Amino acid sequence: TSFARRGSHPKEGKMARGPKKHMKRISAPKHWMLDKLTGVFAPRPSSGPHKLRECIPLLLLIRNRLKYALTYQEAKVILKSRNIKVDGKVRTDLTYPCGFQDVISIDKTDEHFRLLHDTKGRFVMHRITSVEAGYKLCRVRTISTASKGAPIITTHDGRTIRYPDPLIKANDTVQVDLATNKIISHAKFEVGNICAITAGHNIGRVGTIQSTEKHPGSHNIVHVKDKTGASWATRQGNVFVLGTGKVPAISLMRNKGIKHSIIEEANRRLQKSSKTGKE
């Protein structure tokens, strides 16, 4: 009777209280490239500027990608010693979520990296110069007004920037100075501009915008063509403008966002192995 009075039964499962703090290794995003047998759990990203399945914890970048640590504890020492900066700010949280376009700086080794996608959807730490590490590109999500009528824009990485250029609209890209959080320049979401795909089947590909199909009440579709002549279509929300015209505002990876078929990749590997064999 006491259970009935409380409105719950001893056999009924209780609702979880508070935010989830664990993640099983099997349910971690595939692009983290964690093996199944090393443990039961994976580092669950903290709440932050990027979504849970569109980010990678800082711990994995230090330990699994850069190999500066062999274990969780070693990575913890590196981060708690205030050696790692993300977008110009020291981050000591092991599970801080890093995402597309974030700049990771290590002052002691004078290294700077920008997080980009490869054509298989994996995060790549693209090495950049100290000059390029001073800014990043941010996609404009919304335009609104704050208190007292101040115009503001919100970006894909959780920034709020007041009093932007009136020409900036949603889906455009702004180049932000990381030291001052001020807009240096912007690139419009227009036909002919170079863009990268940040989600979906064509993630990591780079091309120029050809046209946009408008579908009121549904997703607008954007047609993109790369420099090899290959073309594809994707949702407007997946398109991230990289610059005006065909010149990107940031340096790109070696393959320049060109996606090769499985056969082309196999042929490239054969050519590479035959060259090393001759030497």
PDB file of all heavy atoms in Angstrom, residues 261-278:
ATOM      1  N   SER A 261      37.037   6.678 -55.399  1.00  0.00           N
ATOM      2  CA  SER A 261      36.316   5.411 -55.258  1.00  0.00           C
ATOM      3  C   SER A 261      37.251   4.367 -54.651  1.00  0.00           C
ATOM      4  O   SER A 261      38.466   4.560 -54.578  1.00  0.00           O
ATOM      5  CB  SER A 261      35.800   4.925 -56.614  1.00  0.00           C
ATOM      6  OG  SER A 261      36.896   4.554 -57.435  1.00  0.00           O
ATOM      7  N   ILE A 262      36.677   3.234 -54.248  1.00  0.00           N
ATOM      8  CA  ILE A 262      37.476   2.162 -53.639  1.00  0.00           C
ATOM      9  C   ILE A 262      38.526   1.643 -54.621  1.00  0.00           C
ATOM     10  O   ILE A 262      39.668   1.378 -54.248  1.00  0.00           O
ATOM     11  CB  ILE A 262      36.553   1.003 -53.188  1.00  0.00           C
ATOM     12  CG1 ILE A 262      35.597   1.506 -52.106  1.00  0.00           C
ATOM     13  CG2 ILE A 262      37.354  -0.176 -52.656  1.00  0.00           C
ATOM     14  CD1 ILE A 262      34.483   0.562 -51.765  1.00  0.00           C
ATOM     15  N   ILE A 263      38.154   1.543 -55.905  1.00  0.00           N
ATOM     16  CA  ILE A 263      39.088   1.048 -56.929  1.00  0.00           C
ATOM     17  C   ILE A 263      40.228   2.043 -57.126  1.00  0.00           C
ATOM     18  O   ILE A 263      41.400   1.653 -57.223  1.00  0.00           O
ATOM     19  CB  ILE A 263      38.341   0.806 -58.271  1.00  0.00           C
ATOM     20  CG1 ILE A 263      37.312  -0.315 -58.085  1.00  0.00           C
ATOM     21  CG2 ILE A 263      39.317   0.455 -59.389  1.00  0.00           C
ATOM     22  CD1 ILE A 263      36.307  -0.427 -59.199  1.00  0.00           C
ATOM     23  N   GLU A 264      39.893   3.353 -57.169  1.00  0.00           N
ATOM     24  CA  GLU A 264      40.940   4.380 -57.318  1.00  0.00           C
ATOM     25  C   GLU A 264      41.904   4.351 -56.140  1.00  0.00           C
ATOM     26  O   GLU A 264      43.126   4.479 -56.319  1.00  0.00           O
ATOM     27  CB  GLU A 264      40.288   5.764 -57.441  1.00  0.00           C
ATOM     28  CG  GLU A 264      39.613   6.014 -58.779  1.00  0.00           C
ATOM     29  CD  GLU A 264      38.795   7.281 -58.795  1.00  0.00           C
ATOM     30  OE1 GLU A 264      38.383   7.753 -57.716  1.00  0.00           O
ATOM     31  OE2 GLU A 264      38.562   7.803 -59.889  1.00  0.00           O
ATOM     32  N   GLU A 265      41.369   4.169 -54.940  1.00  0.00           N
ATOM     33  CA  GLU A 265      42.232   4.099 -53.757  1.00  0.00           C
ATOM     34  C   GLU A 265      43.147   2.876 -53.810  1.00  0.00           C
ATOM     35  O   GLU A 265      44.331   2.959 -53.470  1.00  0.00           O
ATOM     36  CB  GLU A 265      41.382   4.057 -52.485  1.00  0.00           C
ATOM     37  CG  GLU A 265      40.786   5.401 -52.118  1.00  0.00           C
ATOM     38  CD  GLU A 265      39.975   5.337 -50.847  1.00  0.00           C
ATOM     39  OE1 GLU A 265      39.869   4.244 -50.240  1.00  0.00           O
ATOM     40  OE2 GLU A 265      39.443   6.383 -50.451  1.00  0.00           O
ATOM     41  N   ALA A 266      42.596   1.742 -54.262  1.00  0.00           N
ATOM     42  CA  ALA A 266      43.408   0.515 -54.375  1.00  0.00           C
ATOM     43  C   ALA A 266      44.529   0.696 -55.394  1.00  0.00           C
ATOM     44  O   ALA A 266      45.676   0.282 -55.160  1.00  0.00           O
ATOM     45  CB  ALA A 266      42.515  -0.656 -54.765  1.00  0.00           C
ATOM     46  N   ASN A 267      44.207   1.339 -56.531  1.00  0.00           N
ATOM     47  CA  ASN A 267      45.231   1.599 -57.551  1.00  0.00           C
ATOM     48  C   ASN A 267      46.331   2.519 -57.033  1.00  0.00           C
ATOM     49  O   ASN A 267      47.513   2.322 -57.322  1.00  0.00           O
ATOM     50  CB  ASN A 267      44.582   2.212 -58.799  1.00  0.00           C
ATOM     51  CG  ASN A 267      43.718   1.210 -59.540  1.00  0.00           C
ATOM     52  OD1 ASN A 267      43.901   0.001 -59.393  1.00  0.00           O
ATOM     53  ND2 ASN A 267      42.761   1.698 -60.320  1.00  0.00           N
ATOM     54  N   ARG A 268      45.938   3.533 -56.266  1.00  0.00           N
ATOM     55  CA  ARG A 268      46.922   4.456 -55.690  1.00  0.00           C
ATOM     56  C   ARG A 268      47.869   3.705 -54.750  1.00  0.00           C
ATOM     57  O   ARG A 268      49.085   3.930 -54.755  1.00  0.00           O
ATOM     58  CB  ARG A 268      46.219   5.565 -54.897  1.00  0.00           C
ATOM     59  CG  ARG A 268      45.684   6.690 -55.756  1.00  0.00           C
ATOM     60  CD  ARG A 268      44.698   7.543 -54.960  1.00  0.00           C
ATOM     61  NE  ARG A 268      44.446   8.781 -55.643  1.00  0.00           N
ATOM     62  CZ  ARG A 268      45.094   9.926 -55.413  1.00  0.00           C
ATOM     63  NH1 ARG A 268      46.036   9.966 -54.505  1.00  0.00           N
ATOM     64  NH2 ARG A 268      44.825  11.014 -56.092  1.00  0.00           N
ATOM     65  N   ARG A 269      47.287   2.808 -53.919  1.00  0.00           N
ATOM     66  CA  ARG A 269      48.128   2.040 -52.996  1.00  0.00           C
ATOM     67  C   ARG A 269      49.088   1.129 -53.744  1.00  0.00           C
ATOM     68  O   ARG A 269      50.254   0.963 -53.362  1.00  0.00           O
ATOM     69  CB  ARG A 269      47.248   1.214 -52.055  1.00  0.00           C
ATOM     70  CG  ARG A 269      46.623   2.020 -50.928  1.00  0.00           C
ATOM     71  CD  ARG A 269      46.108   1.121 -49.812  1.00  0.00           C
ATOM     72  NE  ARG A 269      45.038   0.251 -50.274  1.00  0.00           N
ATOM     73  CZ  ARG A 269      43.746   0.576 -50.260  1.00  0.00           C
ATOM     74  NH1 ARG A 269      43.373   1.777 -49.827  1.00  0.00           N
ATOM     75  NH2 ARG A 269      42.836  -0.271 -50.684  1.00  0.00           N
ATOM     76  N   LEU A 270      48.610   0.511 -54.863  1.00  0.00           N
ATOM     77  CA  LEU A 270      49.476  -0.354 -55.671  1.00  0.00           C
ATOM     78  C   LEU A 270      50.631   0.429 -56.274  1.00  0.00           C
ATOM     79  O   LEU A 270      51.786  -0.018 -56.275  1.00  0.00           O
ATOM     80  CB  LEU A 270      48.657  -1.010 -56.800  1.00  0.00           C
ATOM     81  CG  LEU A 270      47.830  -2.244 -56.393  1.00  0.00           C
ATOM     82  CD1 LEU A 270      46.905  -2.635 -57.531  1.00  0.00           C
ATOM     83  CD2 LEU A 270      48.745  -3.401 -56.028  1.00  0.00           C
ATOM     84  N   GLN A 271      50.318   1.620 -56.809  1.00  0.00           N
ATOM     85  CA  GLN A 271      51.369   2.466 -57.393  1.00  0.00           C
ATOM     86  C   GLN A 271      52.410   2.848 -56.343  1.00  0.00           C
ATOM     87  O   GLN A 271      53.606   2.842 -56.591  1.00  0.00           O
ATOM     88  CB  GLN A 271      50.746   3.740 -57.995  1.00  0.00           C
ATOM     89  CG  GLN A 271      49.992   3.476 -59.297  1.00  0.00           C
ATOM     90  CD  GLN A 271      49.233   4.701 -59.770  1.00  0.00           C
ATOM     91  OE1 GLN A 271      49.254   5.751 -59.139  1.00  0.00           O
ATOM     92  NE2 GLN A 271      48.537   4.567 -60.898  1.00  0.00           N
ATOM     93  N   LYS A 272      51.910   3.176 -55.155  1.00  0.00           N
ATOM     94  CA  LYS A 272      52.808   3.593 -54.069  1.00  0.00           C
ATOM     95  C   LYS A 272      53.721   2.437 -53.667  1.00  0.00           C
ATOM     96  O   LYS A 272      54.941   2.605 -53.490  1.00  0.00           O
ATOM     97  CB  LYS A 272      51.983   4.058 -52.873  1.00  0.00           C
ATOM     98  CG  LYS A 272      52.737   4.926 -51.900  1.00  0.00           C
ATOM     99  CD  LYS A 272      51.791   5.465 -50.838  1.00  0.00           C
ATOM    100  CE  LYS A 272      52.547   6.369 -49.884  1.00  0.00           C
ATOM    101  NZ  LYS A 272      51.650   6.884 -48.819  1.00  0.00           N
ATOM    102  N   SER A 273      53.139   1.229 -53.524  1.00  0.00           N
ATOM    103  CA  SER A 273      53.929   0.074 -53.115  1.00  0.00           C
ATOM    104  C   SER A 273      54.940  -0.325 -54.188  1.00  0.00           C
ATOM    105  O   SER A 273      56.067  -0.739 -53.883  1.00  0.00           O
ATOM    106  CB  SER A 273      53.016  -1.114 -52.778  1.00  0.00           C
ATOM    107  OG  SER A 273      52.267  -1.485 -53.911  1.00  0.00           O
ATOM    108  N   SER A 274      54.544  -0.179 -55.485  1.00  0.00           N
ATOM    109  CA  SER A 274      55.486  -0.522 -56.573  1.00  0.00           C
ATOM    110  C   SER A 274      56.656   0.448 -56.602  1.00  0.00           C
ATOM    111  O   SER A 274      57.796   0.066 -56.885  1.00  0.00           O
ATOM    112  CB  SER A 274      54.746  -0.527 -57.918  1.00  0.00           C
ATOM    113  OG  SER A 274      54.242   0.766 -58.196  1.00  0.00           O
ATOM    114  N   LYS A 275      56.379   1.725 -56.310  1.00  0.00           N
ATOM    115  CA  LYS A 275      57.479   2.715 -56.265  1.00  0.00           C
ATOM    116  C   LYS A 275      58.450   2.412 -55.150  1.00  0.00           C
ATOM    117  O   LYS A 275      59.677   2.440 -55.332  1.00  0.00           O
ATOM    118  CB  LYS A 275      56.892   4.123 -56.059  1.00  0.00           C
ATOM    119  CG  LYS A 275      56.358   4.765 -57.343  1.00  0.00           C
ATOM    120  CD  LYS A 275      55.823   6.148 -57.053  1.00  0.00           C
ATOM    121  CE  LYS A 275      55.195   6.756 -58.297  1.00  0.00           C
ATOM    122  NZ  LYS A 275      54.598   8.088 -58.010  1.00  0.00           N
ATOM    123  N   THR A 276      57.925   2.109 -53.967  1.00  0.00           N
ATOM    124  CA  THR A 276      58.811   1.795 -52.827  1.00  0.00           C
ATOM    125  C   THR A 276      59.560   0.490 -53.094  1.00  0.00           C
ATOM    126  O   THR A 276      60.713   0.340 -52.667  1.00  0.00           O
ATOM    127  CB  THR A 276      57.987   1.662 -51.513  1.00  0.00           C
ATOM    128  OG1 THR A 276      56.902   0.751 -51.729  1.00  0.00           O
ATOM    129  CG2 THR A 276      57.443   3.007 -51.092  1.00  0.00           C
ATOM    130  N   GLY A 277      58.941  -0.472 -53.809  1.00  0.00           N
ATOM    131  CA  GLY A 277      59.602  -1.739 -54.122  1.00  0.00           C
ATOM    132  C   GLY A 277      60.783  -1.538 -55.058  1.00  0.00           C
ATOM    133  O   GLY A 277      61.820  -2.175 -54.921  1.00  0.00           O
ATOM    134  N   LYS A 278      60.644  -0.617 -56.060  1.00  0.00           N
ATOM    135  CA  LYS A 278      61.724  -0.341 -57.013  1.00  0.00           C
ATOM    136  C   LYS A 278      62.904   0.326 -56.331  1.00  0.00           C
ATOM    137  O   LYS A 278      64.062   0.097 -56.651  1.00  0.00           O
ATOM    138  CB  LYS A 278      61.210   0.554 -58.136  1.00  0.00           C
ATOM    139  CG  LYS A 278      60.322  -0.189 -59.121  1.00  0.00           C
ATOM    140  CD  LYS A 278      59.739   0.768 -60.149  1.00  0.00           C
ATOM    141  CE  LYS A 278      58.772   0.018 -61.082  1.00  0.00           C
ATOM    142  NZ  LYS A 278      58.139   0.944 -62.038  1.00  0.00           N
TER     143      LYS A 278
END
